[in-house]
Amino acid sequence: MAFARRDLRLRYVQTQLGWLWAVAQPLILIATLTLVLGRVFGLPAEGLRQFGLNLAVALPGWIWFQFTVSQGAMSLVANQALVSKAAFNRTALPNSKAIVGFADFLVGSAVVALGLVLMQEAQALALLRLPLVIAYTALASLGWAYALASVSVRRRDFLAVLPVLLQALFFISPIALPSANFAPVGWGIFYWLNPAVAMADGFRWAWLGWDVWQPAHAISAASGILGFVFGLLALRWGSRRLNEFL
């Protein structure tokens, strides 16, 4: 928690808007993508409304996921002086990034909740469903952060290409629209191995109560949970030799 408190204090230091950036970021993305893609596809007013809903409920979770993975992956390298000299659980550094990202997620989710109330789309059961999806998002993102943090200590090229990979993942994940009905065979299996598929559709189910589930969602959910286990083991195993590479 000490690392998280430090990162939270430094998150918006010397910015004019401070925590308002946590509100501005998803709003700007939602407005931009809705207007641009809506014009590209020629969506009518009701289509724009549905597109905006799809995007709005999934985007805060994606921003949290992306932040945790990107910042968690570089957390060991960025704190190499501390890591090489002090004895502590190495998962604390990626965990602190997840906590900081979760704070932004809460702010963004409050904006989503307000918007759903104004649009008369809010559901009381969302309060019961959201914790499940939030827990899954935390596990899935931390699994990637742990694994990439361990790898990036040895192969720092990963940190250079990671932003590009995450941007590509955004476009092949169902962030703006519900998941495609790909059969989990052949190339389709790679789509369902993406943990962000279960995450994005999970937030649609949690916020809006939409029946978005397909049997293949179990593959995506399992990949996120197993990824957490693998990432945790990778970081713990790699921690034994971190000082050789820092």
Side-chain angles (χ1 to χ4, degrees):
M1 290 299 294
F3 294 123
R5 286 194 295 269
R6 177 200 65 180
D7 291 342
L8 281 170
R9 285 196 301 267
L10 297 175
R11 180 80 166 106
Y12 297 108
V13 169
Q14 296 181 344
T15 61
Q16 295 295 322
L17 296 180
W19 283 95
L20 287 177
W21 281 116
V23 177
Q25 184 181 10
L27 287 180
I28 293 171
L29 284 172
I30 290 168
T32 302
L33 290 173
T34 300
L35 292 175
V36 171
L37 294 181
R39 186 176 293 273
V40 169
F41 293 113
L43 297 177
E46 182 58 27
L48 281 175
R49 184 177 187 275
Q50 289 298 106
F51 182 86
L53 278 174
N54 270 294
L55 180 60
V57 297
L59 193 58
W62 166 259
I63 292 174
W64 179 25
F65 179 93
Q66 182 184 43
F67 179 87
T68 300
V69 173
S70 61
Q71 297 297 311
M74 65 177 65
S75 59
L76 297 184
V77 174
N79 293 274
Q80 56 184 336
L82 179 63
V83 171
S84 61
K85 294 178 182 178
F88 61 93
N89 192 333
R90 302 311 190 223
T91 60
L93 290 170
N95 289 350
S96 70
K97 304 303 181 182
I99 293 172
V100 173
F102 182 62
D104 285 357
F105 167 80
L106 289 178
V107 176
S109 294
V111 176
V112 170
L114 177 61
L116 293 178
V117 170
L118 294 176
M119 297 174 69
Q120 299 182 341
E121 294 282 354
Q123 295 201 0
L125 287 178
L127 295 175
L128 299 177
R129 295 188 290 244
L130 275 171
L132 296 175
V133 188
I134 289 172
Y136 171 79
T137 304
L139 290 177
S141 59
L142 280 173
W144 281 37
Y146 292 157
L148 291 172
S150 179
V151 171
S152 63
V153 171
R154 298 167 174 78
R155 299 288 185 269
R156 302 192 185 186
D157 291 345
F158 277 100
L159 297 179
V161 300
L162 183 58
V164 177
L165 295 177
L166 286 173
Q167 195 63 44
L169 186 65
F170 173 84
F171 287 107
I172 63 176
S173 299
I175 308 302
L177 293 170
S179 57
N181 190 23
F182 291 129
V185 294
W187 289 105
I189 192 66
F190 291 101
Y191 177 84
W192 291 108
L193 284 173
N194 177 4
V197 173
M199 178 196 72
D201 284 335
F203 278 113
R204 292 188 181 95
W205 165 73
W207 280 112
L208 302 169
W210 290 353
D211 184 13
V212 296
W213 299 118
Q214 304 175 42
H217 276 99
I219 300 174
S220 177
S223 73
I225 296 170
L226 293 175
F228 172 78
V229 175
F230 171 79
L232 182 61
L233 293 175
L235 183 56
R236 288 187 172 177
W237 177 81
S239 295
R240 302 171 186 174
R241 300 181 59 192
L242 281 181
N243 289 345
E244 297 178 19
F245 300 95
L246 291 175

